[in-house]
Amino acid sequence: MSAATENREIVIIGGGIIGCCSAYYLTRHPSYDTSRHKVTLLEATEIAGGASGKAGGLLAQWAYPSSIVPLSYKLHADLAKEHGGKDRWGYREVSCGQLIGTGRPLSDKKGASGAESGSSVSLQKRSAAAMAKLKAAGIPSDLDWFAPELLKGYDSMSDPGETAQVHPYLFTTSMAKLAEEKGAKIVLGSVTKIDQPDNTVKSVTYTEKESGEQRTIPATDVIVAAGPWTPSVLPEAPISNTRAHSVVIRPTRPVSAYTLFTNIAIPGNFDPSKPSRPTVVAPEIYARPDETVYCCGEGDHSVRLPNTTAEVEVNQESCQDIINQVGSVSDELRDGQVCARQACYLPTVSTARGGPLVGHSGTKGLYVAAGHTCWGIQNAPGTGKLMSEFVFDGNAKSAKIGSLDPRNYM
Ligand SMILES: Cc1cc2nc3c(=O)[nH]c(=O)nc-3n(C[C@H](O)[C@H](O)[C@H](O)COP(=O)(O)OP(=O)(O)OC[C@H]3O[C@@H](n4cnc5c(N)ncnc54)[C@H](O)[C@@H]3O)c2cc1C
């Protein structure tokens, strides 16, 4: 009997984007048969409660690792086409570039036209002199939601076709729902043990979220996709973590479709309550089709990874720093409405090659799909498809990913 024709009890640990995409592609694999194959996804707290629901959502042909990016970028486009991703999870092609500017002090409440804040300024209202300045600095004319006198330059990193975006929370929860529609079962419970006698997986034990009761289910195949928590179920996995804060702002008016890396010089007199030396900050700013703008700041290691996504500590000051930084170059963002202040943990891989780890673990029936660093949204569909191939075909078919083999590291 081939692996695909046997009865299989497939358990996925983790309901982030990687676990949900794995569930989706397992239920779409040509060998998947609901009469013989059971797919159970165990999520400790909430689907997309971690980084997968709080990330930016940029997809790029130039992301890394190159072994998985082209496959995954294409699968994102295919998924959006098949399931109406444009409306369902905000999939769209988008421009991407680096914006260089100088922030104005917080006390400066003047708008780009010189008017007091509150009167939002659109490109049409700008003076000929401001327009000429933007053109000279190479700033696209539709990037009109930044104060022209504060901008120094714009370097295009890619045009639509090479970069796209999704709303990560909507994408991840949609993948979970689509997997459920084809028979996958989603259970809220925290895995405490993978039983693997004789180097073969046998069962998974978890604490059910609602009842707090301990349960054990049989398993022939276990995919560990617990992001930064992966070492809690697989201690030998070389995965660590970094916390990152982000905010979502509804700007004073709809803004053009750009994903921006920034380089903003912050003057010494930026915040009189916090006198400091001039510095440079680099928040990422992503306009979204739902007329919000996502902005994230730099990572920190000041608070250890908590036990669950629900216990992630949000430092309000870190969120306010991001709001102040992006507002220092844009009236539309400064005077907009802040809809979310949040934090999450990015999974990082503590090896020279950088990860992610995707494939067999070395124990029969145990696979790893974790450590996706800052490109987990981009690389999730590719990872999910490859995991379905590992489980049903025994090896990866859609991409050559030997360099990501977890056995190289564990
Ligand atoms: C600020 C920020 C911005 C980002 N922007 C982008 C971007 O623009 N583009 C991009 O491609 N990537 C981006 N990323 C990276 C991306 O968010 C991550 O790589 C990706 O979300 C990781 O997904 P995951 O499923 O591996 O982990 P997670 O999303 O952390 O999911 C892991 C899940 O496992 C569950 N879990 C943990 N332990 C257990 C257990 N014992 N039992 C059961 N369940 C368990 C957790 O509750 C959690 O839901 C960004 C990340 C950050 C932090």
Side-chain angles (χ1 to χ4, degrees):
M1 216 168 15
S2 83
T5 55
E6 290 166 9
N7 287 340
R8 309 286 282 270
E9 305 266 3
I10 305 159
V11 177
I12 301 164
I13 303 174
I17 196 165
I18 303 300
C20 293
C21 281
S22 299
Y24 173 89
Y25 282 103
L26 281 163
T27 60
R28 266 68 180 178
H29 190 281
S31 299
Y32 174 66
D33 175 350
T34 47
S35 69
R36 292 197 313 273
H37 304 138
K38 198 167 159 189
V39 176
T40 306
L41 186 152
L42 285 164
E43 162 53 42
T45 309
E46 178 200 349
I47 296 293
S52 299
K54 299 182 171 74
L58 177 64
L59 318 175
Q61 298 265 28
W62 40 262
Y64 56 82
S66 56
S67 55
I68 203 169
V69 165
L71 169 70
S72 206
Y73 191 86
K74 180 179 181 302
L75 291 177
H76 262 296
D78 295 347
L79 287 168
K81 203 166 169 200
E82 186 175 349
H83 299 293
K86 184 170 168 283
D87 298 323
R88 196 164 174 180
W89 57 76
Y91 176 87
R92 71 174 173 185
E93 294 192 343
V94 72
S95 297
C96 179
Q98 168 134 32
L99 192 68
I100 301 151
T102 303
R104 62 196 153 189
L106 285 181
S107 55
D108 183 350
K109 293 288 178 209
K110 292 250 166 64
S113 65
E116 283 297 321
S117 87
S119 56
S120 67
V121 180
S122 75
L123 187 67
Q124 293 74 24
K125 291 181 195 148
R126 286 183 173 166
S127 67
M131 292 289 290
K133 237 180 183 178
L134 286 177
K135 205 171 166 198
I139 293 152
S141 60
D142 61 344
L143 200 47
D144 59 354
W145 37 293
F146 292 89
E149 73 277 14
L150 300 172
L151 297 187
K152 296 268 179 294
Y154 175 81
D155 290 327
S156 173
M157 293 167 73
S158 42
D159 292 320
E162 294 166 309
T163 29
Q165 69 182 145
V166 295
H167 187 301
Y169 179 82
L170 297 178
F171 177 80
T172 304
T173 49
S174 297
M175 286 295 108
K177 193 121 223 90
L178 290 164
E180 265 184 317
E181 283 169 13
K182 292 277 184 194
K185 192 172 167 203
I186 295 179
V187 176
L188 291 185
S190 180
V191 171
T192 52
K193 189 178 173 205
I194 305 166
D195 196 22
Q196 37 189 308
D198 308 322
N199 218 28
T200 305
V201 294
K202 187 171 157 238
S203 63
V204 171
T205 300
Y206 66 95
T207 308
E208 199 180 56
K209 187 182 171 195
E210 199 170 311
S211 64
E213 281 170 20
Q214 189 161 298
R215 303 196 188 284
T216 298
I217 51 172
T220 56
D221 303 86
V222 175
I223 298 173
V224 182
W229 287 274
T230 296
S232 70
V233 283
L234 218 54
E236 62 273 36
I239 292 175
S240 42
N241 58 78
T242 302
R243 183 175 67 162
H245 285 82
S246 54
V247 299
V248 179
I249 300 174
R250 186 170 295 283
T252 51
R253 65 178 174 90
V255 297
S256 52
Y258 278 88
T259 48
L260 299 166
F261 293 82
T262 69
N263 183 293
I264 304 171
I266 297 290
N269 63 346
F270 181 66
D271 180 355
S273 71
K274 282 199 246 168
S276 63
R277 281 196 283 175
T279 181
V280 173
V281 293
E284 292 172 27
I285 304 176
Y286 300 170
R288 285 179 167 166
D290 64 0
E291 299 190 352
T292 63
V293 176
Y294 170 93
C295 312
C296 66
E298 310 220 317
D300 72 79
H301 292 108
S302 53
V303 180
R304 279 184 56 190
L305 182 73
N307 287 336
T308 68
T309 56
E311 294 161 90
V312 172
E313 211 177 286
V314 180
N315 182 320
Q316 295 301 328
E317 206 180 323
S318 301
C319 293
Q320 193 58 46
D321 283 345
I322 300 170
I323 295 164
N324 291 345
Q325 290 164 10
V326 302
S328 79
V329 285
S330 165
D331 300 342
E332 283 77 354
L333 296 177
R334 182 188 61 190
D335 301 334
Q337 179 198 350
V338 179
C339 314
R341 297 166 193 255
Q342 58 198 14
C344 61
Y345 283 79
L346 178 79
T348 54
V349 175
S350 31
T351 66
R353 284 195 216 171
L357 309 182
V358 180
H360 292 281
S361 72
T363 294
K364 189 163 182 283
L366 184 61
Y367 314 85
V368 186
H372 285 69
T373 67
C374 59
W375 287 114
I377 308 301
Q378 146 66 42
N379 291 327
T383 302
K385 186 163 176 66
L386 291 162
M387 292 322 295
S388 76
E389 294 170 356
F390 279 115
V391 170
F392 284 122
D393 305 319
N395 52 39
K397 294 196 145 172
S398 300
K400 287 197 176 107
I401 54 160
S403 61
L404 311 182
D405 191 331
R407 291 169 294 193
N408 294 336
Y409 310 102
M410 292 168 44

